[in-house]
Structures are given as structure tokens and as C-alpha cells.
Amino acid sequence: MSVFTDETRERAREIIARYPADRSRSALLPLLHLVQAEEGYVSPAGVAFCAEVLGLNKAQVGAVATFYTMYKRRPTGDYLVSVCTNTMCNVLGGQEVYDTLAEHLGVGHDETTADGKITLEHAECLAACDYGPVMTVNYDFFDGVDPQTARGVVDELRAGGRPMPTRGARLCTLKEMAVQLAGFADEREGAVADGGPGEPTLRGLRLAQEHGISVPGFDPNTPIRSKAEADKAAAEAKARSEADKAAAKPAGTPPAPSNGGAARPGAAGNAGTGEPATPAQAAGSTTRDVKAPDAKSPEVRAAETRQPDAATAVPDAPGTKVPVDTTAPAPRDAQEAEAAGVAANAPAGDGKPAGDEAGSQERNLKEAEAGTGTGGAGSAVASETGVQK
């Protein structure tokens, strides 16, 4: 097993120190980038190193390393060239760019050239559809490429050059990029560049400016508040709203019901107070108020939808009355009640339908026979009157 350098071990301790003591395993992702920065990929030794410093087993580390495509499981070239072949870039010629590079370099997907310079891969999406077709070199963008420009980029890389990406700073090797992904600044001269949005990104903004389209009341200079500041502002706004309501309420108005806002049975509204009836009063419902669905986690809402129980709060439809003074039966009680009902109501057999009497059936049969014996006259009478006297 290879031994990692003292610098790598020191950086590993620095990464782990970023997280609470009982949450140290959260450092696994940057640690994997760190070992990749030293070896060029996440080797078995790198997996063992991460497991050792975090107190995990190698299976746990390997499960994460094999899940994310940015962690390479075999030696990778100095420059990872990724060509987007997803829908948008493919329509614009991305597949042609990839095929040209594969033939020119003599490698396929996730394969490295013999000189160890370039590893080629096709990517499902590089999140730059408005610049397609795009390719990245160590995750830096080259926009609007075609087969010729792509060949020029890889030829310059193999010759020892570092072509300038369309957006961002000048290129670095994959190992140098892994150091940055682990959370450490790139100390190279010119490593940080002032990049700006490209023309496709700005197109929507310029169209909005030309046509005077904007969000009502939007101020781009408004600072983004912290959660504590936002909660404080919301509490103050709520207090002001309640104070305004209390000041506007006429004198002598009875207090609101204490049952969570639900209307009393039979109450049609706030008669005599000059206030409109609440939705619960208008519906005549006795169901307690229910919080908005977004107050619950999606998992809870899904579980309640699949298997509701007596404690599941369900908003009632208008006009629906749900009694609240009784307790819903437990599942076992409901099953016993169902079994008792089945026992007390035996299914109909092959006999006569319920409600038919044998006497009336025999009388109708005799009347039908008597009708056939009188040339059909009696039959007509019987059919019209139902009884032949």
C-alpha cells in the first residue's frame, strides 16, 4: 500500500477539522478529492486511507467513491476531456465532436492516451445548454466547439500547452483541480480570473430590459437577509397585522372560538357582528384546522396519503361534516365489526330472491295456466290486472 505524504495527511486533518466532532464522516467527499490529487485517481490505498482517518470501513468509503463519476477508479490522464453528448449538445453536433476526438486520439470512453496526457469521456450533461456543443477540460468550459476546434485543443494539450478556456482561469492538471475540489485555494499565478456571463446567458436579461419586464417591487440592491433576520421581520409583520385587526374590530365583539377556529354545530356565521363567516362556518364543518401541506415533510405526506389513520388530518371539502366527539375505531376493532356484519348478513343462496312469496308465485302460475285454456283472453286480462278473479 502506498504511503501518502505528510502534506496530504496534514491536509486531511485540516479537512476533518472543518466538521463537528460527531460529524467527521461528512469530510469523506473532500478527502476523496484529496487522495485523488496525490495519485491521480482513487486507488485502493486511497480508499483505505480515507477509511483509516475517518474510522469507517473500506466498504463504506468504496460505496461513495463508486457513486460519483468525478472520482476515478483507475489512473487518469493529466487532462480529463469531457464532451457533452446529451440532447441539446447532441443536436448541435456534440456526438460528432466526440467521435472525431475518439478517432484522433485512438481511445474510447474513459480511456487514456498512451502518453498519459488525455483521458476522454462522453458526459451526459455539462449544464451549459445555451453554449452547446460544449466540452470541458478538467471541468473548465470550452463553449461552442466543433470537431476542428476540439482537435486543436487536445493537440495543444499534448504538445505541452494550456489553451485558455472560454470561461474561467487558465487550465490546470487534474491533480491540481482535485486539490481545489478538496477545498484548498490554487496558489498558481493567474489561477483566479475574473469571468463574466456569456452572451447566451445575458440574452434573456437584455430582452427583459428592452421590453420593460421586471418583477414588481424588485430591487437588485436589496441585501439577502439571514434566516434569523427573516424570521424576526416575519414575526414583526405578524404582530403588526394582529394589532391592526384588534384595532379595527368593533367594541363588544365576542372573542373567537377556542376550538381552533372551527364553527359550532349549527352556527351559520358571525351573525350580528358584521363579520363574514369563516370557511369552516360556511361549510358547517367541525373538523379542526389543518396546517398547510408544505408544513410537513414530503415523506410524511406520502405516508399519510398511502395509509391514513385516525390521527391523519385531512382538509374537509365544503359542506362536509366530520364529527370530532367520537373516537375512530382501531384497525382491529374495525376488522371485528366487519366480521360480525358478515356473519349477521349471510349472502343470498340459489333460492328465490328476497321478497318473493311462494303463495303468490303459485297463484300467478295457476292464473297463467287458466288464461291459456280460454283462448288467450284470460291471459290478456291477467297480464293487465295481475289478478284474475
Side-chain angles (χ1 to χ4, degrees), residues 16-106:
I16 296 172
R18 299 172 188 168
Y19 301 90
D22 59 341
R23 296 290 186 270
S24 61
R25 67 183 301 166
S26 298
L28 178 56
L29 296 182
L31 281 175
L32 287 170
H33 284 299
L34 182 65
V35 297
Q36 185 161 278
E38 180 160 336
E39 296 190 298
Y41 71 113
V42 179
S43 66
V47 170
F49 174 80
C50 293
E52 174 192 346
V53 298
L54 291 178
L56 303 175
N57 58 52
K58 290 186 287 187
Q60 292 172 312
V61 176
V64 176
T66 56
F67 181 83
Y68 296 101
T69 58
M70 293 181 75
Y71 301 125
K72 305 305 177 184
R73 300 310 308 276
R74 56 184 178 180
T76 306
D78 294 334
Y79 299 99
L80 175 67
V81 177
S82 308
V83 182
C84 181
T85 56
N86 211 331
T87 305
M88 182 61 70
C89 285
N90 199 2
V91 169
L92 296 174
Q95 187 64 48
E96 184 181 357
V97 172
Y98 175 81
D99 293 340
T100 299
L101 291 182
E103 181 179 359
H104 180 63
L105 297 173

Side-chain angles (χ1 to χ4, degrees), residues 324-346:
V324 296
D325 56 348
T326 59
T327 303
R332 185 173 59 183
D333 297 336
Q335 293 173 0
E336 293 177 354
E338 182 180 359
V342 170
N345 296 274

